[in-house]
Amino acid sequence: DQLLNRPRSLSGPSGKLTLLCDANTDGSFLVHHFLSFYLKANCKVCFVALIQSFSHYNIVGQKLGVSLTVARECGQLVFLEGLKSSVDVFFRAQAEPHPLQFLREANAENLQPLYEFVREALKPVDDGEAAWRCPVLLVDDLSVLLSLGMGAVAVLDFIHYCRATVCWERKGNIVALVHDSGDTEDEENNILLNGLSHQSHLILRAEGLATGFCRDVHGQLRILWRTPSQPTTQRDQSLTYQYKIQDKSVSFFAKGMSPAVL
Amino acid sequence: MAAVATCGTGAGSTGSVVAAGSKNHVTSFQRRGPRASGSDSSYSRLVSIAGTRPSVRNGQLLVSTGLPALDQLLGGGLAVGTVLLIEEDKYNIYSSLLFKYFLAEGIINGHTLLVASAKEDPADILQELPAPLLDDNFKKDFDEEACNHKTAESNIKMKIAWRYQLLPKMEAGPVSSSRFGHYYDASKKMPQELIEASKWHGFFFPEKSSSTLNIEPCSLTHGYIKLLQFIQNIIYEEGFDGSNPQKKQKNILRIGIQNLGSPLWGDDICCTENGNSHSLTKFLYVLRGLLRTSLSACMITMPTHLIQNKAIISRVTNLSDTVVGLESFIGSERETNPLYKDYHGLIHIRQIPRLNNLIYDVSDVKDLAFKLKRKLFTIEKTDLGYSGI
């Protein structure tokens, strides 16, 4: 994983929750990276894509070297296209519970149908053949669920249930993106972000530069390794890099060491 | 003259619609397939639709916003299938002008329009659209030849006014414009025959509010539900979502929604801080879902300066694709500031989408001001922002 410049191994302990967070900038490049990374690593991926369409991820994925259509066809990728399904759910009553059922309801209590969908998608294949490696749940992004009427607690519950199934039971990983609304007093979002930060093993935080827009440095990435289950006798490790996004990759460099400056 | 200056580029770019230099071009039409309809085959043969062009960067199909200057700032135009959110200026003067430019561009290009408003009757809005900028000489030539004349004859007539040959022929029938992006004269009205020849659907909320709902009550306000149903009906019935592949000519549906979020729509987020905080965001989400699965583009103007709960504004921004904010100088202390005397306001490009790409076109210029001269709305770079204002 030379793009991200840090030790990364799938054979290491799995069952991790990685939190992607963006503040004042667009952190979607992280989502694209993880999607292509896990697909290339032969994992079974369930991608809950709430904010963009399938073709968007597919086209960017092709630039990064994976084909989502092929992965979907051979069963490696289960893709929930939020935008398209929302139209189906909203305008036509569905016979069976739909993962985005809460769009039709005035006061949806919880995200259980969505959880059932994830659980079903990452079910181990019964024919004895271990075709794929550990299951992965990828969500882009959780803040949209708040905009659609779910409370922060419901979303936290959803992640909790998913962790129990995906991380603990199936030894998989979860990667989720949450926006950091900064100073715009979005309390629900802050609750969600803080709650997830405490549960995560790895936090990747993409921030815009404090000095504003710059053409050569698009932002700053802070990486924080945590061990939520153990008491914090050891300090959490943290690293900061600045980055520039290019057409097919992202280049990272230490603070102030942008090639444009040197 | 500005109109002629862009003629060359306009003609050039349409000439290169089929032969665009980018190596992604062959797949660009196939890319449109999964997005707009289930069957790729109908879109792999996609011929250029009037008034659209593929983006240079990623082959995305673009339509003009009606303001060539704004098109340039947005990376070439507004991508089909996306939402352009205009944050209104304080008195809704310039944002309604942008709204009209958007609709006027649709009429000139022969797109189908869907105009939704809670304040004005869509028919009235259409009457007030600005006229496309043509020289008076050309208008005389045009008036002499009726739309039934063949193109060959009109070519001959233009020997003296040859510059105007490149301008679109103003026909009462479906207009196939050879240009992308037109200039409009804000002081004149769009000719009546063009408006009548165009295809449009209007949604005037006070008229529709009485009919019954056939959807379960969810947290959307009544107005938004009806508007979504209306939009979905039009998209489905007229085949913009590719549901009727036998339709003769593909076209774009331009949706314009005015003052979304204002109390006139029945939403109270502008009145109180603890209003219905999910209605508008849910509406935007389902609307975007509709747009992504059809050949349409939407411009929404929203009085964000009135929304009491700031969290909603950031959520709305995250749920829109392109966000442009207008700030007019009227009534503010900047109006009398001598540094700003040439301009009418500032324009802020708050968000540009990264569609099908990791990167996006972003202009280096961050301080932009606009002014409305007698005929033209221009956007210019200003470095007045550094003057300590």
Side-chain angles (χ1 to χ4, degrees), chain A residues 36-50:
Chain A
S36 62
F37 172 73
Y38 281 119
L39 282 177
K40 280 187 208 171
N42 231 3
C43 294
K44 174 144 190 180
V45 178
C46 172
F47 188 11
V48 177
L50 297 172

mmCIF file of all heavy atoms in Angstrom, chain A residues 36-50:
data_model
loop_
_atom_site.group_PDB
_atom_site.id
_atom_site.type_symbol
_atom_site.label_atom_id
_atom_site.label_comp_id
_atom_site.label_asym_id
_atom_site.label_seq_id
_atom_site.Cartn_x
_atom_site.Cartn_y
_atom_site.Cartn_z
ATOM 1 N N SER A 36 -10.873 0.262 -3.707
ATOM 2 C CA SER A 36 -10.011 -0.454 -4.641
ATOM 3 C C SER A 36 -9.020 -1.337 -3.891
ATOM 4 O O SER A 36 -8.678 -2.428 -4.355
ATOM 5 C CB SER A 36 -9.286 0.535 -5.550
ATOM 6 O OG SER A 36 -8.475 1.377 -4.796
ATOM 7 N N PHE A 37 -8.592 -0.887 -2.735
ATOM 8 C CA PHE A 37 -7.637 -1.676 -1.959
ATOM 9 C C PHE A 37 -8.230 -3.013 -1.556
ATOM 10 O O PHE A 37 -7.632 -4.072 -1.748
ATOM 11 C CB PHE A 37 -7.238 -0.862 -0.718
ATOM 12 C CG PHE A 37 -6.403 -1.604 0.270
ATOM 13 C CD1 PHE A 37 -5.083 -1.893 -0.002
ATOM 14 C CD2 PHE A 37 -6.933 -2.026 1.477
ATOM 15 C CE1 PHE A 37 -4.308 -2.579 0.912
ATOM 16 C CE2 PHE A 37 -6.167 -2.710 2.394
ATOM 17 C CZ PHE A 37 -4.851 -2.996 2.106
ATOM 18 N N TYR A 38 -9.439 -2.984 -0.993
ATOM 19 C CA TYR A 38 -10.029 -4.236 -0.544
ATOM 20 C C TYR A 38 -10.438 -5.136 -1.696
ATOM 21 O O TYR A 38 -10.386 -6.356 -1.600
ATOM 22 C CB TYR A 38 -11.230 -3.956 0.367
ATOM 23 C CG TYR A 38 -10.825 -3.593 1.772
ATOM 24 C CD1 TYR A 38 -11.160 -2.362 2.319
ATOM 25 C CD2 TYR A 38 -10.108 -4.484 2.551
ATOM 26 C CE1 TYR A 38 -10.788 -2.033 3.608
ATOM 27 C CE2 TYR A 38 -9.730 -4.166 3.839
ATOM 28 C CZ TYR A 38 -10.070 -2.931 4.350
ATOM 29 O OH TYR A 38 -9.698 -2.611 5.623
ATOM 30 N N LEU A 39 -10.848 -4.531 -2.809
ATOM 31 C CA LEU A 39 -11.213 -5.379 -3.939
ATOM 32 C C LEU A 39 -9.980 -6.064 -4.515
ATOM 33 O O LEU A 39 -10.012 -7.226 -4.893
ATOM 34 C CB LEU A 39 -11.910 -4.547 -5.017
ATOM 35 C CG LEU A 39 -13.371 -4.225 -4.734
ATOM 36 C CD1 LEU A 39 -13.940 -3.334 -5.813
ATOM 37 C CD2 LEU A 39 -14.193 -5.494 -4.623
ATOM 38 N N LYS A 40 -8.884 -5.318 -4.557
ATOM 39 C CA LYS A 40 -7.660 -5.930 -5.078
ATOM 40 C C LYS A 40 -7.140 -7.008 -4.142
ATOM 41 O O LYS A 40 -6.501 -7.966 -4.568
ATOM 42 C CB LYS A 40 -6.577 -4.859 -5.236
ATOM 43 C CG LYS A 40 -6.714 -4.029 -6.470
ATOM 44 C CD LYS A 40 -5.501 -3.124 -6.610
ATOM 45 C CE LYS A 40 -5.867 -1.875 -7.357
ATOM 46 N NZ LYS A 40 -4.817 -0.884 -7.349
ATOM 47 N N ALA A 41 -7.421 -6.820 -2.830
ATOM 48 C CA ALA A 41 -6.946 -7.800 -1.852
ATOM 49 C C ALA A 41 -7.871 -8.995 -1.771
ATOM 50 O O ALA A 41 -7.740 -9.822 -0.871
ATOM 51 C CB ALA A 41 -6.840 -7.143 -0.477
ATOM 52 N N ASN A 42 -8.835 -9.069 -2.688
ATOM 53 C CA ASN A 42 -9.681 -10.252 -2.783
ATOM 54 C C ASN A 42 -10.614 -10.423 -1.602
ATOM 55 O O ASN A 42 -10.926 -11.540 -1.204
ATOM 56 C CB ASN A 42 -8.791 -11.501 -2.884
ATOM 57 C CG ASN A 42 -9.218 -12.333 -4.053
ATOM 58 O OD1 ASN A 42 -10.117 -11.952 -4.788
ATOM 59 N ND2 ASN A 42 -8.599 -13.480 -4.198
ATOM 60 N N CYS A 43 -11.065 -9.306 -1.051
ATOM 61 C CA CYS A 43 -12.014 -9.410 0.056
ATOM 62 C C CYS A 43 -13.426 -9.286 -0.481
ATOM 63 O O CYS A 43 -13.644 -8.698 -1.536
ATOM 64 C CB CYS A 43 -11.811 -8.261 1.048
ATOM 65 S SG CYS A 43 -10.265 -8.338 1.889
ATOM 66 N N LYS A 44 -14.347 -9.797 0.291
ATOM 67 C CA LYS A 44 -15.741 -9.614 -0.104
ATOM 68 C C LYS A 44 -16.205 -8.287 0.475
ATOM 69 O O LYS A 44 -16.107 -8.049 1.657
ATOM 70 C CB LYS A 44 -16.593 -10.744 0.459
ATOM 71 C CG LYS A 44 -18.045 -10.508 0.183
ATOM 72 C CD LYS A 44 -18.762 -11.777 -0.104
ATOM 73 C CE LYS A 44 -20.145 -11.416 -0.597
ATOM 74 N NZ LYS A 44 -20.958 -12.503 -0.918
ATOM 75 N N VAL A 45 -16.700 -7.431 -0.378
ATOM 76 C CA VAL A 45 -17.014 -6.064 0.039
ATOM 77 C C VAL A 45 -18.506 -5.795 -0.094
ATOM 78 O O VAL A 45 -19.108 -6.104 -1.113
ATOM 79 C CB VAL A 45 -16.249 -5.040 -0.839
ATOM 80 C CG1 VAL A 45 -16.610 -3.620 -0.434
ATOM 81 C CG2 VAL A 45 -14.759 -5.254 -0.726
ATOM 82 N N CYS A 46 -19.065 -5.199 0.949
ATOM 83 C CA CYS A 46 -20.435 -4.698 0.852
ATOM 84 C C CYS A 46 -20.328 -3.174 0.927
ATOM 85 O O CYS A 46 -19.880 -2.632 1.926
ATOM 86 C CB CYS A 46 -21.282 -5.223 2.004
ATOM 87 S SG CYS A 46 -22.920 -4.465 2.073
ATOM 88 N N PHE A 47 -20.708 -2.517 -0.127
ATOM 89 C CA PHE A 47 -20.532 -1.073 -0.206
ATOM 90 C C PHE A 47 -21.895 -0.400 -0.169
ATOM 91 O O PHE A 47 -22.705 -0.568 -1.070
ATOM 92 C CB PHE A 47 -19.803 -0.746 -1.511
ATOM 93 C CG PHE A 47 -19.382 0.695 -1.652
ATOM 94 C CD1 PHE A 47 -19.434 1.573 -0.582
ATOM 95 C CD2 PHE A 47 -18.923 1.186 -2.854
ATOM 96 C CE1 PHE A 47 -19.045 2.887 -0.704
ATOM 97 C CE2 PHE A 47 -18.523 2.505 -2.992
ATOM 98 C CZ PHE A 47 -18.585 3.352 -1.923
ATOM 99 N N VAL A 48 -22.128 0.352 0.896
ATOM 100 C CA VAL A 48 -23.371 1.115 0.992
ATOM 101 C C VAL A 48 -23.046 2.518 0.483
ATOM 102 O O VAL A 48 -22.458 3.325 1.199
ATOM 103 C CB VAL A 48 -23.864 1.153 2.450
ATOM 104 C CG1 VAL A 48 -25.101 2.001 2.567
ATOM 105 C CG2 VAL A 48 -24.129 -0.248 2.942
ATOM 106 N N ALA A 49 -23.383 2.774 -0.755
ATOM 107 C CA ALA A 49 -22.981 4.030 -1.398
ATOM 108 C C ALA A 49 -24.173 4.961 -1.426
ATOM 109 O O ALA A 49 -25.053 4.836 -2.266
ATOM 110 C CB ALA A 49 -22.498 3.758 -2.813
ATOM 111 N N LEU A 50 -24.194 5.891 -0.500
ATOM 112 C CA LEU A 50 -25.382 6.720 -0.372
ATOM 113 C C LEU A 50 -25.271 8.029 -1.116
ATOM 114 O O LEU A 50 -26.263 8.709 -1.307
ATOM 115 C CB LEU A 50 -25.634 7.020 1.118
ATOM 116 C CG LEU A 50 -25.935 5.802 1.964
ATOM 117 C CD1 LEU A 50 -25.982 6.165 3.424
ATOM 118 C CD2 LEU A 50 -27.270 5.216 1.552
#
